Amino acid sequence: MSKNASPKAEVTDVLVLGSGSAGLTAALTAAAQGLSVTILEKTDRLGGTSAMSGAGTWIPANSHARAEGIADSPEEALAYIRAAAPEGWAATEDALWQAFVTQAPAMLDFVEAETPLRFRLTPEPDPLRDLPGAKPRGRMLSPLALSRWRAGRYAFRLRRSTIPEIFTYHESVTTDLYHKPYRTALSLWPRLAWRLLTNAAGKGTALITGLLRGCLDHGCRIELSARAVSLTLDDSGAVTGAVVEQNGATRTITARRGVLIATGGFEWDAAMLAQNFPGPVDYLGSPKANEGDGHRMATAAGAALAHMDQATLTPSIPTRYQGALHALPVPFHTEPNAMLVNRHGQRFVNELRFNIGELLDTRDPVTGQPIHLPAWVISDAAMLDALPPVRWAARHDPAWLRQAPDIASLARMIGLDPDVLAASVARFNAASAAGRDAEFGRPAGRDAAASADKRRRAGLDPIIRPPFLAMPFNRSILATKGGPRTNEHAEVLRPDGSVIAGLFCAGVAMANPLGTRSVGTGTTIGPNMTWGWIAARRMAQRNTASLAPEAGRA
């Protein structure tokens, strides 16, 4: 760690480390208040994990819902979050929940006013619909498609995704894209053709394109292939900037108002991943640059880390991304002829359960090891006919899909007791025949909670047609969600609760106040953007009289 930055160091008001939704929202917010902003992106592509996402955005009490006559309030959203939260989390997170539900609606209005982004409600309900404060619709949004040309000179520097960006999030959840990809594309061909002609896309591409346009219009400086390696501190321990490596050279950038860590998760650091997520992990779905840089820099500056065992855990199949295996989010486990078994070969859950990733990650309180893993999805040949992405995934990773002529052979292939697995399949088939899942309560008909999402095919079909299939169903991590502990202003805290002046954190790099247990599909992007907004507003309020004198504007 460096102290006392060189007098010749570059100077900016706000230094943002990372170019995902949290970092860009923070940069836009700070620049709109007249501050100079420098954004550093470690890779040669902009957008981080957010660019690879579906850009589902959970924002309670938003103006779009209000315009459609949907009643909502921050108080109702807070009640919902409190009811959904893991036991004991309120003691440390309640102030952050209050800040989020209060600030999120204003953040969304600001982003739409200052960028070309236009959001629209999706038909999805709050999935934990029996909890106080849940809403049947109105909190889930996603941006409409935007042309990449809106990103100007960075149009070819946007990070590509593993998911089909040409479709919007709305189209993905209101069509049967996964089961009928070709028919769906044909039905939408006029608008898809127009997007091809205009270089337009939806989902995370649209989100990052719009935020970038806003940042550029407000004068933000963006540097690619610029990796922050350490933070600079003054004699009081306040953060004053960062040391940056770029093109083989090292330099210091001083930040008068503060440094924002928005560097993403740590899932691509093998040691950190093994320490915090012991046991099998199937695939990772974020950029390989998510190696915990921000976590290490914050720790060296004295920060407390928290929630390091939390992550966005999403059912995924393998795909190829930049020449390597990567996670492609597809809920293949919800097929009518699919059941989930644990390491003993026993079915243990309603496969349609929301937050199923959290259940998979349940750990033994003594050993810290996951109690269900390795887990498997068991199905039959009908899945190969109904869900083309499964066939595609098997081509990307031939070891992923196991096939056998009978259940006993399949069990031996994956290391399970043949009698136990056969009994589990028999009970599942009996539930299918009876039209009632007495063991786990999986709906035999269409699930109301999934009614707006045609990717889920509720109901039960027997597993009877060879070849029988087994696919690993362990944790696929789209982003870890632990990191530096912050207060309700996004200021980073020391273990004693004191604030590290000048250091802020947002996005999945922070100790996320919602963690693994989501309250809706978009409870990564929506909160990430909001914490970027909160951090920037706090920076704008800082008294910088004691900081280093200006040496030029960045």
Side-chain angles (χ1 to χ4, degrees), residues 41-62:
E41 168 52 48
K42 173 182 175 179
T43 73
D44 64 352
R45 291 293 182 270
L46 291 161
T49 309
S50 299
M52 301 180 69
S53 75
T57 307
W58 195 81
I59 301 290
N62 63 78

Side-chain angles (χ1 to χ4, degrees), residues 210-529:
L211 289 173
L212 271 174
R213 183 69 265 160
C215 288
L216 292 171
D217 288 344
H218 284 83
C220 295
R221 176 176 175 178
I222 301 172
E223 297 193 24
L224 300 177
S225 301
R227 181 178 188 173
V229 294
S230 64
L231 300 171
T232 57
L233 308 178
D234 66 14
D235 292 335
S236 71
V239 169
T240 59
V243 177
V244 181
E245 293 180 351
Q246 186 181 34
N247 301 325
T250 299
R251 72 187 199 275
T252 299
I253 301 178
T254 295
R256 286 184 294 255
R257 299 297 183 105
V259 175
L260 175 70
I261 293 175
T263 50
F266 59 80
E267 57 273 6
W268 286 96
D269 182 287
M272 294 178 74
L273 184 67
Q275 177 182 354
N276 295 288
F277 292 88
V281 172
D282 287 338
Y283 305 102
L284 303 179
S286 60
K288 290 185 178 181
N290 286 16
E291 299 170 302
D293 292 3
H295 301 72
R296 283 185 286 272
M297 288 187 287
T299 300
L305 301 184
H307 300 332
M308 293 292 283
D309 60 349
Q310 303 293 298
T312 299
L313 305 174
T314 302
S316 299
I317 62 176
T319 191
R320 288 275 166 181
Y321 181 76
Q322 297 182 333
L325 286 173
H326 230 75
L328 171 62
V330 174
F332 67 102
H333 68 295
T334 63
E335 292 298 291
N337 62 325
M339 72 173 193
L340 187 58
V341 300
N342 61 18
R343 60 193 177 97
H344 304 296
Q346 299 169 332
R347 186 171 174 234
F348 64 103
V349 65
N350 168 5
E351 291 81 4
L352 301 189
R353 167 178 170 154
F354 189 70
N355 277 323
I356 197 166
E358 180 187 36
L359 179 68
L360 282 174
D361 196 40
T362 303
R363 306 185 193 184
D364 184 300
V366 176
T367 67
Q369 296 294 315
I371 64 174
H372 297 302
L373 306 182
W376 300 88
V377 170
I378 305 299
S379 187
D380 66 11
M383 178 185 278
L384 299 178
D385 295 334
L387 197 61
V390 170
R391 297 197 305 271
W392 304 340
R395 290 198 292 267
H396 291 304
D397 184 2
W400 175 70
L401 177 64
R402 324 292 171 89
Q403 303 184 55
D406 54 66
I407 293 296
S409 299
L410 187 70
R412 287 190 287 270
M413 186 180 295
I414 60 177
L416 298 180
D417 185 313
D419 293 334
V420 173
L421 183 60
S424 296
V425 172
R427 286 194 297 273
F428 183 88
N429 290 346
S432 174
R436 179 172 174 267
D437 180 16
E439 279 191 283
F440 299 103
R442 176 170 168 174
R446 193 157 184 83
D447 182 11
S451 61
D453 188 347
K454 293 188 179 180
R455 293 174 297 183
R456 295 190 173 195
R457 303 179 68 206
L460 298 171
D461 287 345
I463 301 172
I464 55 176
R465 179 182 156 195
F468 296 94
L469 315 178
M471 293 144 283
F473 197 77
N474 303 302
R475 295 161 299 189
S476 285
I477 300 177
L478 301 192
T480 55
K481 298 177 80 173
R485 166 78 71 187
T486 64
N487 61 15
E488 66 272 26
H489 305 297
E491 297 170 311
V492 174
L493 304 177
R494 298 185 179 88
D496 63 4
S498 61
V499 169
I500 300 177
L503 186 59
F504 300 78
C505 193
V508 295
M510 71 189 289
N512 198 285
L514 293 175
T516 299
R517 187 178 298 179
S518 296
V519 296
T521 309
T523 48
T524 301
I525 297 294
N528 285 358
M529 295 175 69

Side-chain angles (χ1 to χ4, degrees), residues 25-26 29 103 106-107 110 529-538:
T25 303
T29 305
Q103 296 296 323
M107 178 279 297
F110 165 79
M529 295 175 69
T530 304
W531 287 110
W533 152 271
I534 289 172
R537 287 165 60 85
R538 188 64 166 183

Side-chain angles (χ1 to χ4, degrees), residues 36-317:
S36 60
V37 178
T38 299
I39 303 166
L40 302 184
E41 168 52 48
K42 173 182 175 179
T43 73
D44 64 352
R45 291 293 182 270
L46 291 161
T49 309
S50 299
M52 301 180 69
S53 75
T57 307
W58 195 81
I59 301 290
N62 63 78
S63 57
H64 291 270
R66 189 162 57 251
E68 294 194 22
I70 300 173
D72 195 7
S73 66
E75 292 74 23
E76 290 172 286
L78 182 60
Y80 177 62
I81 292 172
R82 285 171 171 167
E87 183 177 356
W89 275 48
T92 56
E93 311 304 327
D94 199 72
L96 281 74
W97 297 337
Q98 292 182 51
F100 165 64
V101 299
T102 302
Q103 296 296 323
M107 178 279 297
L108 186 67
D109 290 344
F110 165 79
V111 165
E112 289 195 302
E114 301 294 334
T115 76
L117 282 169
R118 295 297 177 266
F119 287 78
R120 190 175 72 193
L121 294 178
T122 78
E124 298 161 286
D126 283 336
L128 307 175
R129 59 191 185 278
D130 296 327
L131 296 183
K135 293 291 179 179
R137 183 169 177 265
R139 291 173 176 167
M140 270 296 296
L141 310 100
S142 190
L144 302 179
L146 272 181
S147 170
R148 294 180 181 87
W149 301 129
R150 302 299 293 270
R153 63 185 181 275
Y154 297 107
F156 293 105
R157 291 293 185 174
L158 298 171
R159 179 168 292 282
R160 293 284 183 165
S161 177
T162 57
I163 60 178
E165 305 154 304
I166 195 168
F167 298 94
T168 65
Y169 181 93
H170 307 86
E171 290 160 353
S172 295
V173 301
T174 58
T175 67
D176 206 2
L177 178 61
Y178 288 131
H179 297 100
K180 302 171 183 176
Y182 304 113
R183 184 181 301 179
T184 300
L186 185 62
S187 70
L188 299 173
W189 76 264
R191 69 179 72 166
L192 299 184
W194 178 250
R195 288 174 195 161
L196 287 172
L197 287 171
T198 59
N199 196 24
K203 301 178 180 171
T205 300
L207 178 65
I208 296 302
T209 297
L211 289 173
L212 271 174
R213 183 69 265 160
C215 288
L216 292 171
D217 288 344
H218 284 83
C220 295
R221 176 176 175 178
I222 301 172
E223 297 193 24
L224 300 177
S225 301
R227 181 178 188 173
V229 294
S230 64
L231 300 171
T232 57
L233 308 178
D234 66 14
D235 292 335
S236 71
V239 169
T240 59
V243 177
V244 181
E245 293 180 351
Q246 186 181 34
N247 301 325
T250 299
R251 72 187 199 275
T252 299
I253 301 178
T254 295
R256 286 184 294 255
R257 299 297 183 105
V259 175
L260 175 70
I261 293 175
T263 50
F266 59 80
E267 57 273 6
W268 286 96
D269 182 287
M272 294 178 74
L273 184 67
Q275 177 182 354
N276 295 288
F277 292 88
V281 172
D282 287 338
Y283 305 102
L284 303 179
S286 60
K288 290 185 178 181
N290 286 16
E291 299 170 302
D293 292 3
H295 301 72
R296 283 185 286 272
M297 288 187 287
T299 300
L305 301 184
H307 300 332
M308 293 292 283
D309 60 349
Q310 303 293 298
T312 299
L313 305 174
T314 302
S316 299
I317 62 176

